[in-house]
Amino acid sequence: MFTMGGAVFPLLAIAGLATAATPYAPQTPPLTTDWTEGLGTNPWPEYPRPQLQRSQWQSLNGIWEYRNAESSGAIGAPPFGQELDTEVMIPSCLESGLSGLQGQNTLYSWLSTNFTVDDDWDGQSILLNFGAVDYEASVFINGQNVGLHRGGYFEFSVDATEYINFGADNELLVFVHDPTDGEGAVIPIGKQTLNQRHIFYRPCSGIWQSVWLEAAPADHISRLDLTADMDGEVTVTVHSASGNATSVEVTVEEGDETIASETGTANSEFKFTVPDIQRWSPDSPSLYNVTVTLGDDQVRSYTGFRTISKGTVDGVVRPLVNGEFRFIFGTLDQGYWPDGLYTPPNREAMTYDLQLLKDLGFNMVRKHIKVEPALFYRACDELGLLVIQDMPSLAVQPNAAQQLEFVRQLELLVNQLKNYPSIMSWVIYNEGWGQILTTYPEFDLTERVRELDPTRLVNSVTGWYDHGAGDYSDNHHYANPQCGTPFYSTPSSPYDPERIGIQGEFGGIGHNVTIENLWNVQATISTIPETYEIGSSIEVWNYRSRVLLQELRDQIQRFACSAAVWTQTTDVEGEVNGLMTYDRRLKRVDERQWREDIEGLYSAARGRVG
C-alpha cells in the first residue's frame, strides 16, 4: 500500500497482472534533421544549470515510462508500483517524434522512472531538479506527493531527502497537465496551439528539459543572483535554504588564478570590485569563473563584466553596451525543431543555429516568446550574442486571476535568467497578445521588471499598442523597415524620440521549397501562401533581402534607428521565411552578401557617432 496526503492506495502491480511497457522507439516526424538519427538513449548528458553547478549530481534523463491519464481526476489514483504503457524519452515534448510517442492532445499524462541514490549521499539533502515541465507538474516520490509546480518554462526543485531510500530503488512519478489553449485555459504558451495554423505550431507537453538529482548540505545555496558591470563591480545575493544570515564567500577566477574574493552575508545583497577586468561584449565575450561557498556547500558559477544602458548620443536616445552605442541586429529566433519541437535534439544542434548567426555577423538574437534551456544562454554568453528575451505570451486577454498568474511567471522569468551576461532586454508583451488594452498594465509591469533587474532595458510592448511604457519605441512592419522614422504604419505607433527606436520585426520574406525540406503536414503546407512575400528562387530571396537591409541602412543614416530584428532564423512548420529551412539542411543566405550587408548596418551606425 502507498499513502498520499493521508489517503491509502492499493499496489495494483500484482504478480501476474503487470504488463511490460512498449519499448522506446523514436517516431518518424513530419521532417527530420541531421541530428535525428543516432541520438541514443542518453539525451542531454551535460550538467543542466551552469550558473549554479554542484559537483555531486546524477542525471535522470533517459528512458522513462508514460501513460495517458485522460482526465484531471486521474491524480486521485496514482499508478504507484505499476509498469506504465510505453517507454518515452525524457527530456522531450510528448508530441515530438523524438519522444517515442508523437502524441496528440496529451492533456493529462503520467510519467515515471526509477532511480537509486548512493549511500555516500546519505546525511545530505537530496534535491530533485526539473529544467521545465509544460505545464503543471505534480511530483510523487515513493508514493508521497512531494511538490506541485505551475509554469511550462521555468525550473523548479523539490527537497526529496525525507522520501529517499538510500542504496535502494526509488520510484519517481510525475502527473502532468498541459491544457495549452484548450479547456478555456489562458496561460503563457507562446506559439503553441492545439489547432495548428500558419504562425502557431504543434504544442509541447511533458518534461521537456533535463531532470537531475544533486546532493547538498541541509543549509545550502538555493539561488544565486550575480551580476557584474563594466567597471568591475560585482553585485551578489546568495539565497540560502534556511534563510539565515550565514557568512558566504565569493571568489572570482581568471583561469586557475583567484583575482578577487569577498565575504558577505547570505540573503542580503553585497558588492565588491574586481580590478583590471576584461569587459564582456559581442566582440570580446570574456567570462570569469565564480565560486560561492556557504558553510559546507560550494557551487560553481560564472559572470561577464558588462553594462547595458541607454543614453543620448548626438541627440538620439540609443542603447549602450559598456557606455557605447552599437547597432544591435539579430534574428527572431523561435527555437523550434521538427524532430524535438521545443527540445533541440542535442547541444550541438542547438549551438549550430547560434554559430550560424554569429558567423554571418549578427550580434543579437531575439528569443521569441519561449524560454530556452540554461545551456542556450550559456552558449550566447560564450559566443558573444546579445539576447532580447521575450516573456511567453498569452493567447487572449486574461481575466484578473489569469493576469496575476502571468505576472507571477514574468517574475520567474526575470529571476531565473538575470545572471546571464548576454541578456540585454526583457520583452513583456508581443504584438498585443494577452495585453490588457483598457488599463495599460505594461507600466506597472515595466517597473516591476526594473525592480527585479535594474541592469537591463525593458521593451514593454514590441510591435503594437504602445502607450509610452518602457525603453523602446518599437515598430513591426514586414514589407519594409520603419525604424525610428517619421513615418509608420498602423497598428504600430509613431516613433517616440524619448525612447530607443527599434525595428522589432521585419523581413519575413518567404521562399518555398520542395517537400524534402518542408514540414510534411498538409494543413500547414496549405498556409504557406499566407507568407508576407514569397520569392521564386533563392537568388530572388537574397535580392529582396538586400533591398530591405539597404533600406534599413538608409534609416540608420537618416533617422534614429538603433536596433532591428530580422524574421527569422529558420522556417517553422508552415512558415518558409527563415535563413535556413526547418530541417537546417538548406541555407537560403548568400553568406558573403549577408556579411557585407550586416557590416554595412554597423558601419552606418558608427558614422552617426561624433
Side-chain angles (χ1 to χ4, degrees):
M1 308 291 281
F2 291 88
T3 61
M4 181 186 75
V8 179
F9 297 93
L11 177 64
L12 299 178
I14 301 172
L17 297 182
T19 57
T22 302
Y24 168 76
Q27 302 299 301
T28 302
L31 184 66
T32 64
T33 71
D34 288 343
W35 299 277
T36 306
E37 299 293 333
L39 289 181
T41 57
N42 183 32
W44 290 90
E46 302 88 357
Y47 188 88
R49 192 183 55 205
Q51 285 282 5
L52 201 162
Q53 184 166 351
R54 288 193 169 89
S55 59
Q56 286 187 296
W57 75 287
Q58 175 185 336
S59 175
L60 296 186
N61 292 346
I63 302 302
W64 289 38
E65 293 182 358
Y66 163 83
R67 176 178 294 171
N68 178 19
E70 296 185 353
S71 73
S72 60
I75 198 171
F80 297 135
Q82 298 181 37
E83 290 273 356
L84 302 189
D85 298 338
T86 185
E87 292 183 339
V88 63
M89 181 73 75
I90 297 297
S92 68
C93 302
L94 299 179
E95 295 85 350
S96 73
L98 291 182
S99 73
L101 300 177
Q102 205 156 235
Q104 296 183 10
N105 297 323
T106 51
L107 305 182
Y108 301 93
S109 304
W110 286 110
L111 295 156
S112 73
T113 191
N114 289 74
F115 62 91
T116 58
V117 178
D118 196 281
D119 286 331
D120 291 347
W121 286 17
D122 200 356
Q124 300 187 79
S125 292
I126 308 303
L127 307 178
L128 172 63
N129 304 293
F130 293 83
V133 181
D134 198 355
Y135 169 70
E136 185 176 274
S138 299
V139 181
F140 301 82
I141 299 175
N142 293 330
Q144 299 295 310
N145 189 342
V146 301
L148 168 69
H149 176 81
R150 183 177 295 114
Y153 299 92
F154 307 110
E155 64 190 19
F156 65 98
S157 297
V158 174
D159 189 333
T161 313
E162 64 180 287
Y163 311 103
I164 295 295
N165 299 317
F166 291 92
D169 195 53
N170 295 275
E171 181 188 52
L172 172 58
L173 188 66
V174 183
F175 181 77
V176 180
H177 175 213
D178 183 20
T180 310
D181 55 354
E183 304 176 332
V186 179
I187 60 176
I189 53 172
K191 289 290 193 81
Q192 301 180 72
T193 181
L194 296 176
N195 302 292
Q196 291 85 59
R197 50 203 186 275
H198 184 51
I199 63 169
F200 297 98
Y201 319 130
R202 184 172 290 190
C204 172
S205 302
I207 303 171
W208 68 275
Q209 291 189 28
S210 290
V211 187
W212 73 104
L213 293 166
E214 57 192 12
D219 190 13
H220 55 267
I221 298 166
S222 57
R223 194 178 98 194
L224 177 64
D225 296 340
L226 174 68
T227 59
D229 71 15
M230 60 181 282
D231 297 318
E233 184 175 74
V234 179
T235 302
V236 188
T237 303
V238 180
H239 302 264
S240 70
S242 69
N244 295 332
T246 310
S247 176
V248 295
E249 182 181 31
V250 178
T251 63
V252 180
E253 297 125 24
E254 186 173 18
D256 296 329
E257 180 185 358
T258 296
I259 59 173
S261 182
E262 184 71 15
T263 300
T265 301
N267 306 298
S268 297
E269 181 180 284
F270 62 97
K271 300 183 179 186
F272 62 97
T273 300
V274 181
D276 301 322
I277 48 92
Q278 297 293 317
R279 292 173 176 171
W280 186 98
S281 74
D283 300 326
S284 179
S286 301
L287 297 174
Y288 291 79
N289 290 326
V290 175
T291 301
V292 183
T293 305
L294 182 152
D296 294 329
D297 192 22
Q298 186 173 90
V299 299
R300 300 281 290 169
S301 189
Y302 71 92
T303 194
F305 292 88
R306 60 94 185 102
T307 297
I308 303 297
S309 60
K310 66 178 179 179
T312 301
V313 180
D314 295 333
V316 179
V317 178
R318 301 289 196 184
L320 306 178
V321 179
N322 298 329
E324 298 180 353
F325 166 56
R326 62 167 64 220
F327 190 77
I328 306 299
F329 188 49
T331 57
L332 193 78
D333 193 77
Q334 312 256 28
Y336 272 81
W337 297 82
D339 44 13
L341 302 180
Y342 258 21
T343 307
N346 56 25
R347 190 176 187 177
E348 176 190 358
M350 180 187 72
T351 55
Y352 177 85
D353 286 5
L354 299 175
Q355 188 65 59
L356 173 73
L357 298 180
K358 188 69 178 180
D359 290 346
L360 289 172
F362 291 100
N363 60 15
M364 176 270 289
V365 61
R366 178 183 166 197
K367 180 44 57 183
H368 189 43
I369 50 181
K370 180 196 177 191
V371 182
E372 292 287 357
L375 291 170
F376 174 93
Y377 302 98
R378 169 76 197 204
C380 292
D381 292 341
E382 293 172 337
L383 287 170
L385 275 172
L386 293 161
V387 177
I388 294 176
Q389 176 63 54
D390 291 11
M391 172 63 189
S393 58
L394 308 174
V396 297
Q397 289 192 26
N399 62 30
Q402 293 159 348
Q403 178 68 4
L404 285 175
E405 181 62 20
F406 175 81
V407 174
R408 185 187 71 87
Q409 293 190 32
L410 174 64
E411 293 176 351
L412 291 179
L413 172 79
V414 175
N415 283 326
Q416 179 170 313
L417 299 182
K418 65 184 179 181
N419 286 2
Y420 294 98
S422 54
I423 297 179
M424 67 168 292
S425 297
W426 306 107
V427 176
I428 299 175
Y429 287 115
N430 175 73
E431 293 188 345
W433 299 354
Q435 180 183 354
I436 299 171
L437 302 177
T438 53
T439 58
Y440 305 168
E442 63 267 23
F443 283 93
D444 286 342
L445 293 183
T446 298
E447 292 312 305
R448 179 58 181 149
V449 170
R450 286 173 172 159
E451 289 172 4
L452 294 172
D453 177 21
T455 71
R456 292 180 176 88
L457 304 175
V458 182
N459 192 342
S460 305
V461 292
T462 178
W464 304 347
Y465 310 123
D466 183 359
H467 305 113
D471 297 306
Y472 292 90
S473 181
D474 193 329
N475 178 294
H476 289 189
H477 195 247
Y478 277 90
N480 58 283
Q482 299 174 344
C483 182
T485 64
F487 51 88
Y488 72 101
S489 301
T490 57
S492 289
S493 303
Y495 165 62
D496 175 3
E498 300 300 315
R499 294 179 290 157
I500 298 165
I502 181 174
Q503 188 69 42
E505 295 178 27
F506 83 119
I509 297 170
H511 162 250
N512 208 347
V513 291
T514 58
I515 195 64
E516 288 80 10
N517 302 111
L518 281 174
W519 177 252
N520 192 4
V521 175
Q522 187 55 50
T524 54
I525 290 174
S526 298
T527 67
I528 288 174
E530 297 178 29
T531 306
Y532 296 106
E533 175 185 323
I534 298 180
S536 61
S537 67
I538 287 179
E539 291 74 21
V540 169
W541 183 88
N542 278 288
Y543 161 74
R544 287 292 296 138
S545 298
R546 168 158 275 184
V547 169
L548 266 63
L549 292 176
Q550 287 177 335
E551 191 167 358
L552 182 68
R553 177 175 181 171
D554 190 52
Q555 293 175 17
I556 297 168
Q557 292 171 325
R558 290 174 178 267
F559 305 119
C561 184
S562 293
V565 179
W566 179 273
T567 302
Q568 58 185 333
T569 307
T570 73
D571 296 351
V572 184
E573 298 194 9
E575 294 191 59
V576 293
N577 53 8
L579 305 179
M580 296 179 285
T581 51
Y582 196 16
D583 58 4
R584 278 74 169 171
R585 292 189 175 111
L586 176 64
K587 295 179 184 177
R588 293 188 178 92
V589 285
D590 179 325
E591 294 185 47
R592 179 178 177 180
Q593 172 191 311
W594 273 75
R595 289 189 190 101
E596 291 175 353
D597 290 344
I598 291 172
E599 176 54 36
L601 304 179
Y602 301 150
S603 176
R606 288 192 296 268
R608 289 294 304 273
V609 179

